[in-house]
Amino acid sequence: MQRITTNQYIVTASFCILTSKIMTMPTVVFSYAGKDAIFSVVINILVDLVIVLLVTGLIQKYPNITFLDLLTKKFTRIGAIIISTLLVAFLLFKGVFLLQETLSFFTLTLYEKVNFWMLLIPALLTVLYISYKGLNTLGRSIDIYWVFVFITVLIILVISVMQTDFGANLPYFEQGFLPVLRGSMHTSIYAGNGLLLLFFMGKVEHNPKIFKHTCILSIIVALLVIFNDFVFYCLFGDFVPYCTFALSNLSQYNPFVTELGHIGWLSIIESTINLIFVSSLCCYCVRQYLQFTFKIGKKIVSTLICGAMYLTIIYIFDFTLYNMLDFVKNYGFYYNLGLIPLMIILCIVLHSTAQKKKKTSKNNIFLEGNIKCKSQG
């Protein structure tokens, strides 16, 4: 069984919190929450943070069993298929959404005229190839470029802070807390990224400090994303609805970046690599599900099926990001609002059963010791 190192897992977990949160999410949230949007962003990120920490705890408690095998052990094979199907439906759409988000950034922002298929085919083949190669390739990839992604995001943040009026959106909550909840609910597609980490169970090198280190880096990344979105809202105010890709607008309209020779574009392109990477992770999860559920022996078969599913969903939404966003905001969020709490409860249940098992084993050892003492006495 392929495994990734603890450091590779920790960075991957932090990427789950970062992904999409500084691209299209700020604008979509603003359409519901207005100038209180930053608080909706905080809620979405907290959901992701909770999921990442819960899953990391499971990985630490069940170091040698995969998620699908654990579900089979606890809920039988049929129960495991039902639960995993609900989860994979979310991850499949998430993977396609991230791919479409990346392609739309290039077609709508970076290039004036470009053949969509010339972008789609190489991007999809990249996603499928990384998924096919498995965790070892995923781990090596993240070892190479994670530093560049974080540095480039920091570049945009630092140069944008110089122009920011942090009191631009005051006062908050003029219409109460309802817009904040509405903004978080309708943009739930941006939360729950950490659920893909469930498919890493049993495939991470055991390290007793994995939870602590994941917690520290995840909190740092969460604060970085929140502050980045806060700066974006303060800079653009009522013009946020006209900024589809927050990260690109932060650099495009910053005069300091222009003096640096548009170094901001480098930051944006590096961030799109993160989108492709997480889309590949989602594809990897779908492939694992297909092999488990339909007992597909060859990886190439499950990979090709994933590719066909990706293309089908993109075709259904007419190869347009805005069509996907409209579906998510108006209909798809109901599914997410049901699934995400369900998976959080599932993780808590799996945690509690692990603790009970440990307590039971300790009690058995204690009873055995007492019996030996009595027999010797």
Side-chain angles (χ1 to χ4, degrees):
M1 182 184 295
Q2 292 186 349
R3 287 179 178 264
I4 60 173
T5 66
T6 302
N7 290 338
Q8 291 169 349
Y9 170 81
I10 292 170
V11 177
T12 303
S14 65
F15 273 5
C16 290
I17 296 174
L18 175 65
T19 303
S20 280
K21 303 297 195 306
I22 55 178
M23 287 295 279
T24 58
M25 185 183 78
T27 301
V28 179
V29 169
F30 188 88
S31 64
Y32 291 96
K35 65 180 184 179
D36 296 327
I38 186 61
F39 299 101
S40 299
V41 170
V42 171
I43 292 175
N44 286 347
I45 291 176
L46 285 177
V47 170
D48 260 341
L49 188 60
V50 168
I51 291 173
V52 166
L53 296 183
L54 281 173
V55 175
T56 303
L58 288 177
I59 288 174
Q60 189 174 37
K61 290 182 178 180
Y62 299 97
N64 299 313
I65 185 170
T66 65
F67 175 63
L68 295 173
D69 288 339
L70 180 61
L71 289 181
T72 302
K73 182 179 179 182
K74 299 290 185 181
F75 306 106
T76 73
R77 178 176 171 80
I78 295 177
I81 292 175
I82 293 173
I83 295 172
S84 58
T85 299
L86 294 174
L87 174 59
V88 166
F90 171 79
L91 294 179
L92 174 62
F93 188 88
K94 169 79 74 173
V96 177
F97 179 82
L98 294 176
L99 180 62
Q100 181 67 71
E101 188 177 19
T102 307
L103 299 175
S104 296
F105 167 73
F106 283 99
T107 56
L108 298 176
T109 304
L110 202 56
Y111 298 112
E112 293 182 1
K113 295 181 180 180
V114 64
N115 188 316
F116 180 80
W117 289 97
M118 293 297 291
L119 291 174
L120 173 60
I121 294 174
L124 182 59
L125 288 177
T126 301
V127 168
L128 295 178
Y129 178 77
I130 295 175
S131 167
Y132 171 78
K133 296 301 289 184
L135 287 182
N136 288 344
T137 299
L138 290 168
R140 293 191 201 101
S141 300
I142 204 168
D143 275 336
I144 295 171
Y145 77 84
W146 74 268
V147 176
F148 298 101
V149 172
F150 284 121
I151 289 177
T152 51
V153 171
L154 284 172
I155 289 174
I156 290 294
L157 181 60
V158 170
I159 60 183
S160 299
V161 165
M162 301 176 184
Q163 313 292 328
T164 304
D165 175 12
F166 293 106
N169 289 322
L170 293 174
Y172 295 110
F173 302 115
E174 288 184 311
Q175 299 179 9
F177 200 72
L178 186 60
V180 174
L181 292 178
R182 191 181 300 117
S184 179
M185 289 169 53
H186 286 270
T187 59
S188 55
I189 184 64
Y190 294 100
N193 294 344
L195 291 174
L196 65 84
L197 297 174
L198 286 168
F199 287 86
F200 282 53
M201 287 184 62
K203 302 173 184 178
V204 182
E205 290 182 0
H206 181 66
N207 188 323
K209 294 184 178 180
I210 185 174
F211 183 84
K212 176 183 176 181
H213 293 166
T214 303
C215 183
I216 292 172
L217 184 59
S218 297
I219 291 174
I220 291 173
V221 173
L223 292 174
L224 176 65
V225 172
I226 291 171
F227 190 57
N228 190 94
D229 288 350
F230 178 64
V231 168
F232 171 71
Y233 289 133
C234 290
L235 280 175
F236 288 90
D238 293 334
F239 292 95
V240 169
Y242 305 101
C243 306
T244 302
F245 300 95
L247 190 62
S248 67
N249 289 104
L250 278 174
S251 64
Q252 188 175 359
Y253 300 106
N254 192 315
F256 186 75
V257 181
T258 304
E259 294 174 4
L260 291 176
H262 290 289
I263 193 174
W265 289 113
L266 176 62
S267 300
I268 299 161
I269 294 171
E270 288 290 350
S271 296
T272 58
I273 295 176
N274 179 39
L275 297 178
I276 290 292
F277 177 77
V278 178
S279 179
S280 302
L281 290 178
C282 291
C283 186
Y284 169 79
C285 296
V286 175
R287 185 171 67 77
Q288 295 297 307
Y289 162 81
L290 291 173
Q291 292 180 195
F292 171 80
T293 303
F294 302 103
K295 297 183 178 180
I296 299 174
K298 295 184 178 181
K299 293 194 300 181
I300 187 64
V301 175
S302 58
T303 303
L304 291 175
I305 294 174
C306 287
M309 295 168 76
Y310 266 53
L311 278 175
T312 301
I313 296 174
I314 294 176
Y315 173 78
I316 290 173
F317 291 98
D318 198 26
F319 306 94
T320 305
L321 176 64
Y322 295 116
N323 290 344
M324 296 191 77
L325 284 174
D326 288 339
F327 172 78
V328 167
K329 293 188 296 183
N330 297 320
Y331 307 103
F333 77 95
Y334 289 111
Y335 184 86
N336 301 336
L337 289 179
L339 175 74
I340 293 175
L342 176 65
M343 298 309 299
I344 290 176
I345 293 172
L346 174 65
C347 290
I348 293 173
V349 169
L350 293 176
H351 269 280
S352 62
T353 54
Q355 291 173 354
K356 287 180 180 179
K357 186 176 180 181
K358 287 182 179 180
K359 289 180 180 178
T360 303
S361 62
K362 288 181 180 179
N363 290 335
N364 290 337
I365 293 172
F366 179 74
L367 290 174
E368 289 175 2
N370 287 339
I371 291 173
K372 289 181 179 179
C373 290
K374 288 181 181 179
S375 61
Q376 290 176 357

